[in-house]
Amino acid sequence: KICEWITGINGLEPDTMLYGGGLHMTERGGFLGVHLDNERHPQTGLARRLNLIVYCTEGWQEDWGGHLELWDRACTRPVTKIAPLWNRAVLFETSAHSFHGHTQPLACPPEVRRKSVAVYYWSEPRARARFFARADEPHDAAKEAARLARSRT
């Protein structure tokens, strides 16, 4: 419930199946390209709403890279970079615009790994927008079909 309190998103459910979650490790030279996460859980049908990442590498040095990059809505540039420092937690909402990754190859020593634990939170799918004709608009079958198609979930 603390994630609901922090974010204002109600009805969050942790992913007890750890679909895509759990321990993540990246070795020297590794990276994760900018991406969007999957939107639906394949077994429950719930919509992904939040990512919680906790970094687990003691003694991580900022100059080794591995910063989580949160990109702008157009996916043209990172708007913030978060170093994967020991015991740091990052919570962010997932959406059709939450582009993220760690795009620069790690420059850590060969024996060091960038480690994190990822937990995802899910909720019932968000309702889609529904489109309606104005009261003064004459009936148009083509427009009505287009409105109906855009309103389906």
Side-chain angles (χ1 to χ4, degrees):
K1 298 295 177 189
I2 193 162
C3 288
E4 291 182 357
W5 180 76
I6 291 169
T7 64
I9 300 171
N10 294 318
L12 292 173
E13 308 241 351
D15 185 4
T16 57
M17 294 178 247
L18 288 178
Y19 176 73
L23 181 62
H24 296 162
M25 287 196 318
T26 308
E27 297 179 337
R28 179 183 178 87
F31 64 94
L32 181 62
V34 177
H35 65 282
L36 292 173
D37 292 325
N38 62 311
E39 294 181 4
R40 295 286 172 102
H41 195 289
Q43 294 167 326
T44 66
L46 294 176
R48 188 185 293 193
R49 299 299 303 278
L50 295 175
N51 288 359
L52 173 61
I53 302 170
V54 180
Y55 294 103
C56 305
T57 306
E58 290 188 67
W60 189 266
Q61 304 295 309
E62 282 211 43
D63 60 341
W64 295 346
H67 294 63
L68 173 64
E69 300 171 356
L70 303 177
W71 286 60
D72 66 357
R73 291 175 63 94
C75 196
T76 59
R77 64 181 179 81
V79 294
T80 193
K81 295 180 180 184
I82 303 163
L85 302 179
W86 164 251
N87 208 30
R88 174 172 280 170
V90 179
L91 178 68
F92 64 97
E93 186 172 2
T94 57
S95 70
H97 307 287
S98 58
F99 298 100
H100 62 283
H102 63 93
T103 62
Q104 299 303 311
L106 297 183
C108 56
E111 68 278 5
V112 175
R113 309 284 184 271
R114 177 190 185 268
K115 298 180 222 169
S116 62
V117 175
V119 178
Y120 306 129
Y121 289 86
W122 308 78
S123 71
E124 290 297 324
R126 292 168 261 201
R128 291 190 55 170
R130 294 185 60 206
F131 296 86
F132 299 92
R134 294 186 321 271
D136 63 344
E137 186 176 354
H139 177 73
D140 181 318
K143 283 184 181 179
E144 192 58 35
R147 283 187 196 102
L148 182 61
R150 291 188 70 200
S151 297
R152 287 196 178 118
T153 56

